[in-house]
Amino acid sequence: MPQFWAPIGPRAPHIAGSAGSAVKPLVTYFAFDTVDHNILLWRLETSFGIGGTVLEWLKSFLTGRTQAVAFRGVTSGYCPLLCGVPQGSVLGPLLFVLYTADVAALAGRHAVCVHAYADDTQLYVSCPSADGQTSAAKLLHCVDEIRQWMSANRLKLNVDKTQFMWLGPSHQLEAVSRVQPVVNGVSASL
């Protein structure tokens, strides 16, 4: 299960103060393994202006890789990898963040804040307890749009490991309407 985080910095007094906060961690299935090379290279060129020799270096870093499975002393034949970024590399998490940069833009359109590192993403909103129902609905609508974007970009939201959490002082949390979050027809845990 993903770990929840406490906001630190300029937003912390607002989030930890009189307002409650809803936090929604997003978990993807095999995120690094499903990055589409063609989409990534296109996005690097069109969204981030990477071209020429640097784009060719990145293309050679991603393509021409193979993998095999070894089990009980027997190794399968090697198969080409048509998607995915190398895990354990310095570039892997960075390329994944660039691949998923649109998630922050989607969240911004819903006035939802994002905290992300590689494939670990949390969405959150801060609100007075009286606005809990409205803020939860806004957050869930944002999550659904991100789920659709992920599907269109060959990623999958792992609803079973996605959690919804309210943060705030106990007297404020008691006043928040409890909302059973549903993502893609599946109830997320509270």
Side-chain angles (χ1 to χ4, degrees), residues 24 135-144 164 179-183:
K24 183 84 175 170
S135 293
K138 174 173 69 171
L139 186 60
L140 292 172
H141 182 70
C142 177
V143 169
D144 190 55
F164 186 90
V179 176
Q180 180 58 51
V182 176
V183 179

Side-chain angles (χ1 to χ4, degrees), residues 32-52:
F32 284 89
D33 297 331
T34 59
V35 169
D36 182 291
H37 294 163
N38 292 327
I39 293 173
L40 174 59
L41 292 168
W42 175 82
R43 194 162 286 146
L44 290 172
E45 187 172 21
T46 60
S47 298
F48 300 102
I50 297 172

Side-chain angles (χ1 to χ4, degrees), residues 109-163:
R109 288 202 305 257
H110 292 275
V112 170
C113 299
V114 179
H115 179 265
Y117 176 76
D119 63 344
D120 182 22
T121 305
Q122 292 89 35
L123 303 175
Y124 64 95
V125 294
S126 181
C127 65
S129 56
D131 295 337
Q133 188 84 13
T134 303
S135 293
K138 174 173 69 171
L139 186 60
L140 292 172
H141 182 70
C142 177
V143 169
D144 190 55
E145 278 196 29
I146 289 171
R147 181 194 56 77
Q148 292 173 38
W149 178 91
M150 291 172 79
S151 179
N153 287 274
R154 299 189 181 196
L155 298 172
K156 184 176 180 190
L157 180 66
N158 188 344
V159 177
D160 294 333
K161 290 188 176 181
T162 298
Q163 296 180 334

Side-chain angles (χ1 to χ4, degrees), residues 60-125:
S60 71
F61 176 73
L62 294 169
T63 58
R65 293 180 176 271
T66 59
Q67 75 177 11
V69 176
F71 182 71
R72 294 188 179 167
V74 178
T75 302
S76 70
Y78 284 84
C79 297
L81 292 175
L82 304 176
C83 60
V85 293
Q87 295 182 42
S89 68
V90 174
L91 278 178
L94 177 61
L95 291 173
F96 185 80
V97 166
L98 295 174
Y99 187 78
T100 59
D102 291 349
V103 168
L106 281 170
R109 288 202 305 257
H110 292 275
V112 170
C113 299
V114 179
H115 179 265
Y117 176 76
D119 63 344
D120 182 22
T121 305
Q122 292 89 35
L123 303 175
Y124 64 95
V125 294

